[in-house]
Amino acid sequence: PAARATAAMQSINVTAQHPPLMLALFGTAAVCGSLIYRAITTWGDRRALLLMLGAVIYLIGAVVVTIAVNVPLNNQLAALSPDGPGTPAHWQHFITAWTLANHARAVLSLAGCALLATALLHGAPAGKPGAMAHVRAASPASTSATWPASVRWQ
């Protein structure tokens, strides 16, 4: 099984190094960079901290873990012959370390996305027009009379 698993993973790693995956990985990194800039330049905004944390955590999970852990592991695996005598032992090391790193990528990326989604759903800063202004403008005046204050349109 280690020989076939090694050969399969080597094939996956070659396929992964193409523009669609690189665009997804580094395109989202660029978006996170712009969100970090936005957070810094709008630090008084109540969403700034969420933007900063979400973007940084996502970058650590998706980019830093990939470059620091997964890519070196993939490069080590690429140097192996699937039928070589040391392949079973190396495969065990590889799959353990790679899976741990992949879980870290998933958890950190999802946490970053959750923070970014929270920032998006948190609405505009108090007293400033924002993304939800059209909803407030479109809401009927009677809404505030029928809903508790905690869920009224501002």
Side-chain angles (χ1 to χ4, degrees):
R4 289 195 308 189
T6 299
M9 194 66 181
Q10 287 172 335
S11 176
I12 290 167
N13 290 336
V14 169
T15 304
Q17 297 175 23
H18 284 84
L21 180 63
M22 296 298 115
L23 179 63
L25 179 64
F26 294 110
T28 54
V31 169
C32 284
S34 69
L35 291 174
I36 291 169
Y37 175 79
R38 168 86 175 166
I40 291 168
T41 59
T42 61
W43 195 248
D45 183 325
R46 62 185 180 203
R47 297 172 296 168
L49 181 61
L50 291 170
L51 287 175
M52 177 71 77
L53 288 174
V56 168
I57 290 171
Y58 182 87
L59 285 172
I60 291 169
V63 179
V64 173
V65 173
T66 299
I67 291 171
V69 181
N70 291 95
V71 170
L73 286 169
N74 291 341
N75 290 342
Q76 291 171 9
L77 191 70
L80 285 180
S81 169
D83 297 320
T87 299
H90 191 279
W91 175 255
Q92 284 307 311
H93 164 72
F94 171 85
I95 198 63
T96 301
W98 196 93
T99 301
L100 180 62
N102 204 46
H103 281 73
R105 283 194 301 189
V107 168
L108 290 168
S109 296
L110 287 172
C113 286
L115 289 166
L116 293 172
T118 302
L120 177 67
L121 297 174
H122 204 355
K128 296 183 180 178
M132 298 299 288
H134 67 284
V135 175
R136 285 191 295 275
S139 63
S142 62
T143 302
S144 61
T146 57
W147 288 91
S150 62
V151 293
R152 284 187 199 148
W153 294 104
Q154 301 296 320

